[in-house]
């Protein structure tokens, strides 16, 4: 669930790329990197850490040129990740190339094994590096043709930005699983980014979403990007973007994220109507549970209260690579408002339950702070299946709803009651005008090899 950005045709390209990455820091906090192009040479800086730490003024001065690509890394495994930070840079027959990627390639192991048999030497564990080798080993004279043939051997969820010494190539897979939008910079040039929240910070106007199966080509000879439809679209945007990953002020494929989450909360409230349980207040798990909790409060008429306060200097717990770090971050991040919740019956809303450990700690924390009852509501369906398209749920065993029934999960997290959204309620909340990638909820792995 990484963030990617491309800036083309602006003398402050690397600075604008760093600002865009800063606005999308929620999509990855482990490592960050930028490649710029100037006078036929690509310059790259990448390191572990946050955008504000890595991209100092000296670093941005080094990244000269009027085009740049950038990446925030969200990993699916722990350990030392500097070798797996992006952009991925290489020299090959046609010159220099740098690539950033958001998504996950499900046929990566087979492609890598074939490339190694043909003599390729890999420097990282990333599926992104496959594309570098596929491009380098191709004999076509034009980079665009090499990219197309490399993509023909690539299966999965992907948004790629590929930068040569003078051009940028932007590609979104035929399903449009991961978001990618195009904007026009008011200071000149274009921006492509994973989320539209990046446009606000760099003062860019939204043009449109990159179409599923489309390749955009930016070069200095044309004022507007060239568009090539590589594959027939089979649009299936990821529903989890609306549930958790995207920033609430982003618009993902025409849907305002904040409003979709508010709709999810309203659906939860409608499902609770007629029950004999009474609640004193609706309490969100901040921050991603806030819009749904507000929706629930509006629909139900129950007061909304910030019964849990978040320390905003602590990052997102779900995207931490190890369970130990996730547990520590929960304790550091969330604090109960004891004077507000003592003796009260709380209706607590979170965006999802993945492993269950965070929810258990939240319920325990609230009860230790004096809450009389904690009724847990989840603004998404039960996550029963692993996602192979870029979310950190690689095995069924990690998913509590795969191992336990709803009642067993309720008992495990020690809540007084527990309810989820249905898949139908989720899709209606986002909008029933399209099909969604729902594999985490229903096991429909629609991307096939």
């Amino acid at each position: 669930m990484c963030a990617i950005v491309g800036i083309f045709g602006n003398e402050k390209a690397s600075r604008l790329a760093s600002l865009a990455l800063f606005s999308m820091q929620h999509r990855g906090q482990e490592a960050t990197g930028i490649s710029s192009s100037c006078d036929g040479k690509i310059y790259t800086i990448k390191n572990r850490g946050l955008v504000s730490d890595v991209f100092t003024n000296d670093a941005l001065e080094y990244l000269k040129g009027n085009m740049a690509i950038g990446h925030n890394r969200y990993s699916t495994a722990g350990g030392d990740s500097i070798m797996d930070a992006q952009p991925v840079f290489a020299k090959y027959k046609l010159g220099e190339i740098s690539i950033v990627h958001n998504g996950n390639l499900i046929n990566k192991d087979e492609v890598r094994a074939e490339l190694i048999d043909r003599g390729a030497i890999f420097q990282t564990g990333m599926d992104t590096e496959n594309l570098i080798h596929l491009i380098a080993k191709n004999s076509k004279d034009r980079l665009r043709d090499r990219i197309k043939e490399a993509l023909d051997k690539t299966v999965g969820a992907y948004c790629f930005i590929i930068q040569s010494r003078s051009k940028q190539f932007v590609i979104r897979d035929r399903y449009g699983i991961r978001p990618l939008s195009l904007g026009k910079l008011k200071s000149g040039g274009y921006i492509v980014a994973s989320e539209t929240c990046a446009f606000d910070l760099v003062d860019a106007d939204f043009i449109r979403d990159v179409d599923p199966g489309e390749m955009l080509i930016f070069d200095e000879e044309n004022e507007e990007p060239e568009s090539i439809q590589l594959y027939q679209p089979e649009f299936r945007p990821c529903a989890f973007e609306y549930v958790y990953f995207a920033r609430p002020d982003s618009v993902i494929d025409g849907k305002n994220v904040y409003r979709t989450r508010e709709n999810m909360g309203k659906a939860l409230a409608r499902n609770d109507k007629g029950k004999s349980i009474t609640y004193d207040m609706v309490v969100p798990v901040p921050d991603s549970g806030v819009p749904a909790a507000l929706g629930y409060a509006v629909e139900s008429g129950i007061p909304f209260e910030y019964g849990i306060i978040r320390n905003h200097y602590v990052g997102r717990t779900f995207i931490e690579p190890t369970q130990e770090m996730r547990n520590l971050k929960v304790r550091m991040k969330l604090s109960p408002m004891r004077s507000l919740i003592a003796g009260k019956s709380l209706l607590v809303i979170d965006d999802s339950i993945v492993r269950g450990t965070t929810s258990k700690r939240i319920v325990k924390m609230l009860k230790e702070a004096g809450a009389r009852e904690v009724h847990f509501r989840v603004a998404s369906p039960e996550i029963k299946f692993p996602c192979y398209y870029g979310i950190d749920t690689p095995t069924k065993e990690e998913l509590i709803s795969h191992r336990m029934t709803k009642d067993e999960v309720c008992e495990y997290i020690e809540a007084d009651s527990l309810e989820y959204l249905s898949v139908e309620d989720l899709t209606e909340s986002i909008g029933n005008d399209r099909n969604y990638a729902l594999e985490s909820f229903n096991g429909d792995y629609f991307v096939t090899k």
Side-chain angles (χ1 to χ4, degrees), residues 173-408:
D173 71 67
R174 72 183 70 201
Y175 303 100
I177 299 172
R178 298 282 153 245
L180 196 62
S181 298
L182 170 67
K184 188 78 168 67
L185 291 157
K186 292 179 181 177
S187 57
Y190 290 90
I191 177 174
V192 176
S194 296
E195 290 192 35
T196 60
C197 63
F199 295 179
D200 300 328
L201 188 56
V202 301
D203 201 16
D205 292 323
F206 172 82
I207 297 176
R208 64 178 177 88
D209 296 305
V210 178
D211 290 333
E214 182 182 21
M215 177 165 69
L216 296 175
I217 304 174
F218 296 85
D219 64 51
E220 295 177 348
E221 297 177 359
N222 297 297
E223 290 187 6
E224 297 183 356
E226 179 183 357
S227 172
I228 301 173
Q229 193 67 40
L230 297 178
Y231 305 107
Q232 184 68 27
E234 301 176 45
F235 195 27
R236 295 287 293 271
C238 177
F240 217 77
E241 291 283 349
Y242 301 97
V243 170
Y244 175 79
F245 272 106
R247 237 173 68 167
D249 55 332
S250 286
V251 176
I252 303 294
D253 293 306
K255 307 287 186 179
N256 180 277
V257 174
Y258 180 92
R259 291 302 178 196
T260 62
R261 291 177 185 169
E262 188 179 47
N263 290 340
M264 294 170 201
K266 290 179 178 179
L268 282 171
R270 288 193 294 269
N271 293 341
D272 268 353
K273 282 184 177 177
K275 292 185 178 180
S276 58
I277 307 172
T278 58
Y279 318 110
D280 294 307
M281 63 186 70
V282 179
V283 175
V285 176
D287 285 326
S288 52
V290 171
L294 285 167
Y296 191 106
V298 168
E299 185 73 18
S300 66
I302 301 170
F304 171 96
E305 297 284 359
Y306 277 103
I308 303 172
I309 301 302
R310 177 183 171 182
N311 181 340
H312 284 85
Y313 294 94
V314 180
R316 304 183 88 175
T317 55
F318 178 78
I319 61 175
E320 287 297 334
T322 65
Q323 186 61 51
E324 181 182 6
M325 183 59 75
R326 283 191 288 267
N327 291 341
L328 176 61
K329 281 288 184 73
V330 172
R331 294 195 299 272
M332 294 170 63
K333 184 172 74 169
L334 302 177
S335 299
M337 288 277 287
R338 295 177 182 270
S339 61
L340 183 67
I341 67 176
K344 302 294 175 54
S345 176
L346 311 182
L347 190 287
V348 177
I349 296 186
D350 205 355
D351 58 88
S352 59
I353 296 180
V354 181
R355 299 167 181 87
T357 51
T358 297
S359 303
K360 184 180 180 72
R361 288 188 177 278
I362 290 169
V363 173
K364 182 180 179 181
M365 173 187 72
L366 292 170
K367 289 192 172 182
E368 288 178 347
R372 176 167 50 87
E373 294 176 334
V374 177
H375 300 272
F376 217 86
R377 298 292 180 268
V378 183
S380 64
E382 295 169 89
I383 300 175
K384 295 183 176 182
F385 302 93
C387 175
Y388 302 119
Y389 308 144
I391 299 176
D392 185 15
T393 54
T395 64
K396 291 181 180 179
E397 288 69 32
E398 287 189 80
L399 303 174
I400 192 170
S401 290
H402 175 78
R403 296 182 283 109
M404 299 182 185
T405 65
K406 183 182 73 173
D407 290 342
E408 288 171 337

Side-chain angles (χ1 to χ4, degrees), residues 105-118:
L105 308 181
I106 63 175
N107 69 333
K108 55 184 177 291
D109 293 335
E110 300 95 305
V111 172
R112 177 170 289 225
E114 180 184 338
L115 286 166
I116 290 173
D117 286 342
R118 292 166 57 193

Side-chain angles (χ1 to χ4, degrees), residues 42-109:
I42 293 179
Y43 301 83
T44 300
I45 290 178
K46 56 183 178 179
N47 209 339
R48 289 187 298 272
L50 302 178
V51 173
S52 57
D53 296 326
V54 173
F55 294 113
T56 62
N57 189 62
D58 288 344
L60 294 172
E61 287 291 336
Y62 171 79
L63 294 167
K64 51 192 175 182
N66 69 347
M67 54 188 292
I69 60 174
H71 185 271
N72 286 337
R73 182 169 191 253
Y74 150 82
S75 72
T76 55
D80 189 347
S81 65
I82 187 58
M83 290 298 293
D84 286 345
Q86 297 187 36
V88 180
F89 168 82
K91 294 182 178 180
Y92 72 120
K93 183 178 179 180
L94 298 184
E96 297 182 341
I97 192 173
S98 194
I99 297 180
V100 292
H101 170 212
N102 175 27
N104 190 49
L105 308 181
I106 63 175
N107 69 333
K108 55 184 177 291
D109 293 335

